[in-house]
Amino acid sequence: NAGVMQNPRHLVRRRGQEARLRCSPMKGHSHVYWYRQLPEEGLKFMVYLQKENIIDESGMPKERFSAEFPKEGPSILRIQQVVRGDSAAYFCASSPRQSNYGYTFGSGTRLTVV
Amino acid sequence: AQTVTQSQPEMSVQEAETVTLSCTYDTSESDYYLFWYKQPPSRQMILVIRQEAYKQQNATENRFSVNFQKAAKSFSLKISDSQLGDAAMYFCAYRSVRGYGGSQGNLIFGKGTKLSVKP
């Protein structure tokens, strides 16, 4: 039973390009959460999705960032027109419906904007 | 809004000794969950231990145990018989039961404590 799979593990983008980060939740998990970790910081919540629905995007920057979790396929975090400040590790976590346990995290994608 | 504070940016322990990592939090809620996560250099976030606020008994997982003081809003992690593989960043996290911002409850993390284990 594979864990939460994130790819790519490392992503380098030039300023102004688009970044697409992918997350495949654990089998049987229908809830996906995206977090961002800046250097020397803890993880900060960005968005919570269920299949085809955004449940809570209160932590998502208002511009350039979007997320989706389609009926088929992985969840995608999309960052348009990246800037240096977007450089961070982006983590995805998943949980089964109404889980009372800590979420299962992926290994993250480290985005570097040059 | 809930906050989580880890006041020790770095800690060091001798192999086989015991170390305690501190965590305090602020909330007006009475029911919630608290977690400790470990992040080794591989960057994987690994759940170490979990505590429900309504349970008075402190959670224990092998060499890891917590000291949960609800009135003081304190949630420290004790690692006994420290091993080299325990070296990592440790994050304390809070999660509301009812949800935060309308969600099922996202995790609120502290800034972490970097633990070094000396052989």
Side-chain angles (χ1 to χ4, degrees), chain A residues 9 35 100 103 105 107-108, chain B residues 42-44 50 95 105 107:
Chain A
R9 185 153 173 79
Y35 286 79
N100 289 328
Y103 313 136
F105 280 85
S107 295
Chain B
S42 67
R43 214 168 61 211
Q44 176 81 43
R50 162 182 174 269
R95 181 191 158 198
L107 292 169

Side-chain angles (χ1 to χ4, degrees), chain B residues 22-74:
Chain B
S22 301
C23 173
T24 57
Y25 57 94
D26 189 26
T27 184
S28 58
E29 299 179 328
S30 59
D31 204 7
Y32 46 86
Y33 301 104
L34 295 165
F35 306 87
W36 278 98
Y37 278 88
K38 171 185 177 181
Q39 186 180 43
S42 67
R43 214 168 61 211
Q44 176 81 43
M45 292 290 287
I46 302 165
L47 178 64
V48 174
I49 201 164
R50 162 182 174 269
Q51 174 83 42
E52 293 104 325
Y54 66 87
K55 288 187 177 179
Q56 292 187 346
Q57 186 175 5
N58 289 322
T60 300
E61 287 288 341
N62 301 315
R63 297 183 296 107
F64 298 87
S65 61
V66 298
N67 183 6
F68 174 47
Q69 302 288 329
K70 191 172 183 179
K73 297 180 183 175
S74 171

Side-chain angles (χ1 to χ4, degrees), chain B residues 4 10-12 16 19-20 24 28 33 45 66 68 73 90 97 101 103-104 111:
Chain B
V4 176
E10 296 188 26
M11 291 283 285
S12 181
V19 65
T20 298
T24 57
S28 58
Y33 301 104
M45 292 290 287
V66 298
F68 174 47
K73 297 180 183 175
Y90 285 83
V97 169
S103 77
Q104 292 293 323
K111 290 191 174 184

Side-chain angles (χ1 to χ4, degrees), chain A residues 16-78:
Chain A
Q17 291 185 318
E18 178 179 287
R20 280 182 178 245
L21 287 62
R22 293 174 182 77
C23 169
S24 296
M26 281 187 71
K27 188 176 180 180
H29 286 194
S30 58
H31 297 207
V32 165
Y33 309 79
W34 285 93
Y35 286 79
R36 177 165 62 177
Q37 184 179 30
L38 295 170
E40 310 300 324
E41 297 281 328
L43 279 68
K44 293 282 190 338
F45 169 76
M46 298 182 74
V47 62
Y48 161 42
L49 310 103
Q50 294 180 22
K51 286 282 187 181
E52 300 183 280
N53 285 305
I54 296 175
I55 306 302
D56 179 3
E57 56 182 349
S58 58
M60 194 90 104
K62 294 288 185 283
E63 298 178 350
R64 303 187 297 108
F65 285 72
S66 62
E68 62 176 9
F69 189 16
K71 187 177 180 181
E72 301 290 337
S75 175
I76 305 288
L77 179 67
R78 182 183 178 203

Side-chain angles (χ1 to χ4, degrees), chain B residues 71-105:
Chain B
K73 297 180 183 175
S74 171
F75 183 61
S76 60
L77 174 70
K78 185 171 83 170
I79 307 174
S80 304
D81 186 25
S82 297
Q83 300 175 0
L84 295 177
D86 294 334
M89 284 291 291
Y90 285 83
F91 292 96
C92 179
Y94 171 101
R95 181 191 158 198
S96 170
V97 169
R98 279 192 299 279
Y100 174 73
S103 77
Q104 292 293 323

